[in-house]
Coordinates of all heavy atoms in Angstrom, one line a residue:
Chain B
G1 N -91.8 -53.5 7.2 CA -90.6 -53.0 6.5 C -90.7 -53.0 5.0 O -91.7 -53.5 4.4
E2 N -89.7 -52.6 4.4 CA -89.7 -52.5 2.9 C -89.2 -53.8 2.3 O -88.1 -54.3 2.7 CB -88.8 -51.4 2.4 CG -89.4 -50.0 2.9 CD -88.4 -48.9 2.7 OE1 -87.2 -49.2 2.3 OE2 -88.6 -47.8 3.0
S3 N -90.0 -54.5 1.4 CA -89.5 -55.7 0.9 C -89.0 -55.5 -0.6 O -88.4 -56.3 -1.1 CB -90.7 -56.7 0.8 OG -91.8 -56.2 0.1
V4 N -89.4 -54.3 -1.2 CA -88.9 -54.1 -2.5 C -88.1 -52.8 -2.5 O -88.6 -51.8 -2.0 CB -90.1 -53.9 -3.5 CG1 -89.6 -53.6 -4.9 CG2 -90.9 -55.2 -3.5
G5 N -86.9 -52.8 -2.9 CA -86.1 -51.6 -2.8 C -85.4 -51.2 -4.1 O -85.6 -51.9 -5.1
L6 N -84.8 -50.1 -4.1 CA -84.1 -49.7 -5.3 C -82.9 -50.6 -5.5 O -82.0 -50.8 -4.6 CB -83.6 -48.2 -5.0 CG -83.0 -47.5 -6.2 CD1 -84.0 -47.3 -7.2 CD2 -82.5 -46.1 -5.7
H7 N -82.8 -51.2 -6.6 CA -81.7 -52.1 -6.9 C -80.6 -51.2 -7.5 O -80.7 -50.7 -8.6 CB -82.1 -53.1 -7.9 CG -81.0 -54.1 -8.3 ND1 -80.5 -55.0 -7.3 CD2 -80.3 -54.3 -9.4 CE1 -79.5 -55.7 -7.9 NE2 -79.4 -55.3 -9.1
L8 N -79.5 -51.1 -6.8 CA -78.4 -50.3 -7.2 C -77.6 -50.9 -8.4 O -77.3 -52.1 -8.3 CB -77.4 -50.1 -6.1 CG -77.8 -49.2 -4.9 CD1 -76.7 -49.1 -3.9 CD2 -78.2 -47.8 -5.4
P9 N -77.3 -50.2 -9.4 CA -76.4 -50.7 -10.4 C -75.1 -51.1 -9.8 O -74.7 -50.5 -8.8 CB -76.2 -49.5 -11.3 CG -77.4 -48.6 -11.1 CD -77.7 -48.8 -9.6
T10 N -74.5 -52.1 -10.3 CA -73.2 -52.6 -9.7 C -72.2 -52.6 -10.8 O -72.4 -52.8 -12.0 CB -73.4 -54.0 -9.1 OG1 -73.8 -54.9 -10.2 CG2 -74.4 -54.0 -8.0
L11 N -71.0 -52.4 -10.3 CA -69.8 -52.4 -11.2 C -68.7 -53.3 -10.5 O -68.4 -53.0 -9.3 CB -69.3 -51.0 -11.5 CG -68.0 -50.9 -12.3 CD1 -68.2 -51.5 -13.7 CD2 -67.5 -49.5 -12.3
S12 N -68.3 -54.3 -11.1 CA -67.3 -55.1 -10.5 C -66.0 -55.1 -11.4 O -66.1 -55.3 -12.6 CB -67.8 -56.6 -10.5 OG -66.8 -57.4 -9.8
V13 N -64.9 -54.7 -10.8 CA -63.6 -54.6 -11.5 C -62.5 -55.3 -10.8 O -62.6 -55.6 -9.6 CB -63.2 -53.1 -11.7 CG1 -64.3 -52.3 -12.4 CG2 -62.9 -52.4 -10.3
Q14 N -61.5 -55.6 -11.5 CA -60.3 -56.2 -11.0 C -59.4 -55.2 -10.4 O -59.3 -54.1 -10.9 CB -59.6 -57.0 -12.1 CG -58.8 -58.2 -11.7 CD -59.6 -59.3 -11.2 OE1 -60.7 -59.6 -11.6 NE2 -59.1 -60.0 -10.1
E15 N -58.8 -55.5 -9.3 CA -57.8 -54.6 -8.7 C -56.8 -54.2 -9.7 O -56.2 -55.0 -10.5 CB -57.1 -55.3 -7.5 CG -56.1 -54.4 -6.8 CD -55.5 -55.1 -5.6 OE1 -55.9 -56.3 -5.3 OE2 -54.6 -54.5 -4.9
G16 N -56.5 -52.9 -9.8 CA -55.5 -52.4 -10.7 C -56.2 -51.8 -12.0 O -55.5 -51.0 -12.7
D17 N -57.4 -52.3 -12.3 CA -58.1 -51.7 -13.5 C -58.6 -50.3 -13.2 O -58.7 -49.9 -12.1 CB -59.2 -52.7 -13.9 CG -58.7 -54.0 -14.5 OD1 -57.5 -54.1 -14.8 OD2 -59.5 -54.9 -14.7
N18 N -59.0 -49.7 -14.3 CA -59.7 -48.4 -14.1 C -61.2 -48.6 -14.0 O -61.7 -49.5 -14.7 CB -59.4 -47.5 -15.3 CG -57.9 -47.1 -15.4 OD1 -57.2 -47.1 -14.3 ND2 -57.4 -46.8 -16.6
S19 N -61.9 -47.8 -13.3 CA -63.3 -47.8 -13.1 C -64.0 -46.6 -13.6 O -63.4 -45.5 -13.5 CB -63.7 -48.0 -11.6 OG -63.1 -49.1 -11.0
I20 N -65.1 -46.7 -14.3 CA -65.9 -45.6 -14.7 C -67.3 -45.7 -14.2 O -68.0 -46.7 -14.5 CB -65.9 -45.5 -16.2 CG1 -64.5 -45.3 -16.8 CG2 -66.8 -44.3 -16.7 CD1 -64.4 -45.3 -18.3
I21 N -67.7 -44.8 -13.4 CA -69.1 -44.8 -12.9 C -69.8 -43.6 -13.5 O -69.3 -42.5 -13.5 CB -69.0 -44.7 -11.3 CG1 -68.2 -45.9 -10.8 CG2 -70.4 -44.6 -10.7 CD1 -67.9 -45.7 -9.3
N22 N -71.1 -43.9 -13.9 CA -71.8 -42.8 -14.6 C -73.0 -42.3 -13.8 O -73.5 -43.0 -12.9 CB -72.3 -43.4 -15.9 CG -71.2 -43.8 -16.8 OD1 -70.3 -43.0 -17.2 ND2 -71.1 -45.1 -17.2
C23 N -73.4 -41.2 -14.1 CA -74.6 -40.5 -13.5 C -75.3 -39.6 -14.5 O -74.6 -38.8 -15.1 CB -74.1 -39.8 -12.2 SG -75.4 -38.9 -11.4
A24 N -76.6 -39.7 -14.5 CA -77.4 -38.8 -15.3 C -78.1 -37.8 -14.4 O -78.7 -38.3 -13.4 CB -78.4 -39.5 -16.2
Y25 N -78.0 -36.6 -14.6 CA -78.7 -35.6 -13.7 C -79.9 -35.0 -14.5 O -80.0 -35.2 -15.7 CB -77.7 -34.5 -13.2 CG -77.1 -33.6 -14.3 CD1 -77.7 -32.4 -14.6 CD2 -75.9 -34.0 -14.9 CE1 -77.1 -31.6 -15.5 CE2 -75.3 -33.1 -15.8 CZ -75.9 -31.9 -16.1 OH -75.3 -31.1 -17.0
S26 N -80.7 -34.4 -13.7 CA -82.0 -34.0 -14.3 C -82.2 -32.6 -14.6 O -83.0 -32.2 -15.5 CB -83.1 -34.5 -13.3 OG -82.9 -33.9 -12.0
N27 N -81.5 -31.7 -13.9 CA -81.8 -30.3 -14.0 C -80.7 -29.6 -14.8 O -79.6 -29.5 -14.4 CB -81.9 -29.7 -12.6 CG -82.5 -28.3 -12.6 OD1 -82.4 -27.5 -13.6 ND2 -83.1 -27.9 -11.5
S28 N -81.1 -29.0 -16.0 CA -80.1 -28.4 -16.8 C -79.6 -27.1 -16.2 O -78.6 -26.6 -16.6 CB -80.7 -28.1 -18.2 OG -81.9 -27.3 -18.0
A29 N -80.3 -26.6 -15.1 CA -79.8 -25.4 -14.4 C -78.8 -25.7 -13.3 O -78.3 -24.8 -12.7 CB -81.0 -24.7 -13.8
S30 N -78.5 -27.0 -13.1 CA -77.6 -27.3 -12.1 C -76.2 -26.8 -12.5 O -75.8 -27.0 -13.6 CB -77.5 -28.8 -11.9 OG -78.7 -29.3 -11.3
D31 N -75.5 -26.1 -11.5 CA -74.2 -25.6 -11.9 C -73.1 -26.1 -11.0 O -72.0 -25.6 -11.1 CB -74.3 -24.0 -11.8 CG -74.7 -23.5 -10.4 OD1 -74.8 -24.4 -9.5 OD2 -75.0 -22.3 -10.3
Y32 N -73.4 -27.0 -10.2 CA -72.4 -27.6 -9.3 C -72.7 -29.0 -9.1 O -73.9 -29.4 -8.8 CB -72.3 -26.8 -8.0 CG -71.2 -27.2 -7.1 CD1 -69.9 -27.0 -7.4 CD2 -71.5 -27.8 -5.8 CE1 -68.9 -27.4 -6.5 CE2 -70.5 -28.2 -5.0 CZ -69.2 -28.0 -5.3 OH -68.2 -28.4 -4.4
F33 N -71.7 -29.9 -9.1 CA -71.9 -31.3 -9.0 C -70.8 -31.9 -8.0 O -69.6 -31.4 -8.1 CB -71.8 -32.0 -10.3 CG -72.7 -31.4 -11.4 CD1 -72.3 -30.3 -12.1 CD2 -74.0 -32.0 -11.6 CE1 -73.2 -29.8 -13.1 CE2 -74.8 -31.4 -12.5 CZ -74.4 -30.3 -13.3
I34 N -71.2 -32.9 -7.3 CA -70.3 -33.5 -6.3 C -70.4 -35.0 -6.5 O -71.5 -35.6 -6.7 CB -70.6 -33.2 -4.9 CG1 -70.6 -31.6 -4.7 CG2 -69.6 -33.8 -3.9 CD1 -71.0 -31.2 -3.3

Side-chain angles (χ1 to χ4, degrees):
Chain B
E2 298 167 357
S3 59
V4 177
L6 188 65
H7 181 68
L8 288 180
T10 59
L11 175 65
S12 184
V13 301
Q14 205 68 37
E15 181 178 359
D17 287 351
N18 297 333
S19 303
I20 300 176
I21 300 170
N22 298 303
C23 177
Y25 63 94
S26 58
N27 192 333
S28 57
S30 292
D31 58 7
Y32 184 66
F33 306 87
I34 302 174

